[in-house]
Amino acid sequence: MTVVLEATDLGKRYRRKWALSDCTLSIPEGHVVGIVGPNGSGKSTLLNLAAGLLAPSSGRLEVLGGPPARDATALGRVGFVAQDPPVFSSLSVRDHLRVGAHLNPGWDSALAELRIDDLGLDPQQRAGRLSGGQRAQLALTLAIAKRPELLLLDEPVASLDPLARREFLQILMEAVAEQQVSIVLSSHLVSDIERVCDYLIVLAGSRVQLAGDVEDLLSSHHRLIGAQCDPDDYPANQTVIDSGHTDRQSSLIVRSDGPVLDESWTIEPVSLEDLVLAYMARGERPSSRRPAAGEVVV
Amino acid sequence: MIEFYLDQKSGVTPYLQLVQQVRRAVKLGLLHDGDQLPTVKEVVGRIAINPNTVSKAYRELEYQGLAIARTGVGTFVTVAPSEKSVATLGPLRRDLQRWLVRAREAGLDDESIEALFIESFRDASSIVAS
């Protein structure tokens, strides 16, 4: 299987603070990957490293089989839509397409024109006078029309209203269906991630807390509910990710490394949102910044 | 043609929701043998979900014998002729509507009606199963 992004012990430091550390990832092609995490967890840093806009402070990163942005060909294969739709406010929509055609060897002008037409954008209109949703759609059109193999999007829908957000995701998913482009996007909105992503990365405390195929993650994690108990009484073969206790009941979110043999626990599925929150909370806890493999963190 | 939707609060994985919607539409007689399902691109363009989810749902429908893919043409519903069709649905629906009227007259609200239905449904299923 081809890998679109491979990171080995990747890290990025700004002065003395590590924005991303010990990041080891291998993302297979053909996925829509969602990166979630609190503010300052390293989402933008990871995407900017992948786009070649930042250089790593440590470790290694390969994008589509080579160092990011190493030459014009590599640049042409990757599209990047930065946070806050990157358009030129004094240029018209048509000017944007001209710039796109001029700068990208693989530019698909028929596709760009069609998209602008479908969106109902006036080619004469200056980008500065477009709505937030239209600006985002224009930036997406430019990124799609360069026909990339990998498209990186940093918080593409964060500033959009619900309707514009849905329309943006519709267009993005159509592009995936039509062009077989791999997508890596960051978002705060787990509901959007759940809709469009089939691969999930949770970043927290500048580290990767969780990465994998969404369905595999959901089937390997469970919620266990039982009588109030201490960590000593936690079920065997289960890695406890998060725990909540009342005076009568204990509720655990676990990664199951084997079946739950103790029948006093009720096993329930865990939603993607709860799973994400559990790993985020775990990553933000100072004591568990460096959980060893297999270690039970409570 | 079927109009898919996604209920993000249901807790059912998206691909299974699509499968269930097709099954339901077939059972209710809204989809017939030979009807074409929307293309993957049409579905993602309408409800903004991952194309792999739609492909997976369609593969599952094929596996269950409810759909057949014709290369380059599309995916089509296949329904084995069954006596439990619309003809039997009509009277059952009328019975249920009458029962709902009686439940409301007895002072039950929507939530109680739903709870009662689900409980009775489970009881009936366990009787059939045992």
Side-chain angles (χ1 to χ4, degrees), chain A residues 53-256:
Chain A
L53 292 172
L54 289 176
S57 309
S58 67
R60 231 161 45 90
L61 176 64
E62 287 203 341
V63 173
L64 299 174
R70 65 186 177 286
D71 53 31
T73 318
L75 281 170
R77 293 168 72 198
V78 179
F80 179 53
V81 180
Q83 221 164 343
D84 301 325
V87 292
F88 302 99
S89 42
S90 59
L91 293 189
S92 70
V93 170
R94 179 171 291 139
D95 290 339
H96 276 85
L97 298 194
R98 279 202 200 110
V99 172
H102 194 69
L103 294 178
N104 295 286
W107 185 257
D108 186 338
S109 70
L111 178 71
E113 304 275 344
L114 186 70
R115 284 255 48 84
I116 295 302
D117 201 42
D118 280 357
L119 291 166
L121 294 184
D122 173 6
Q124 317 283 4
Q125 181 85 272
R126 285 180 179 202
R129 309 199 60 177
L130 299 173
S131 71
Q134 289 172 326
R135 275 202 297 274
Q137 292 281 19
L138 176 58
L140 178 62
T141 300
L142 295 176
I144 290 176
K146 75 180 271 188
R147 292 249 175 209
E149 291 165 51
L150 171 65
L151 182 54
L152 309 164
L153 304 110
D154 192 3
E155 300 271 3
V157 295
S159 59
L160 305 184
D161 64 64
L163 184 62
R165 213 165 75 207
R166 178 61 59 86
E167 284 169 353
F168 187 94
L169 294 176
Q170 285 168 343
I171 305 286
L172 187 62
M173 290 304 105
E174 279 184 353
V176 175
E178 258 182 351
Q179 301 182 20
Q180 275 92 41
V181 56
S182 300
I183 308 262
V184 180
L185 62 90
S186 63
S187 178
H188 273 305
L189 300 152
V190 181
S191 59
D192 283 345
I193 296 268
E194 195 162 24
R195 251 192 134 81
V196 304
C197 297
D198 51 14
Y199 198 98
L200 179 76
I201 296 170
V202 179
L203 283 178
S206 311
R207 284 166 199 280
V208 176
Q209 302 294 331
L210 180 70
D213 183 284
V214 170
E215 276 189 31
D216 294 345
L217 294 178
L218 287 176
S219 62
S220 60
H221 288 79
H222 301 98
R223 183 189 295 282
L224 302 184
I225 299 163
Q228 206 275 332
C229 73
D230 296 326
D232 295 343
D233 303 325
Y234 283 170
N237 297 330
Q238 314 293 317
T239 305
V240 178
I241 308 303
D242 197 20
S243 59
H245 303 276
T246 65
D247 49 359
R248 294 209 177 153
Q249 203 182 40
S250 286
S251 168
L252 314 174
I253 290 179
V254 299
R255 189 181 68 232
S256 299

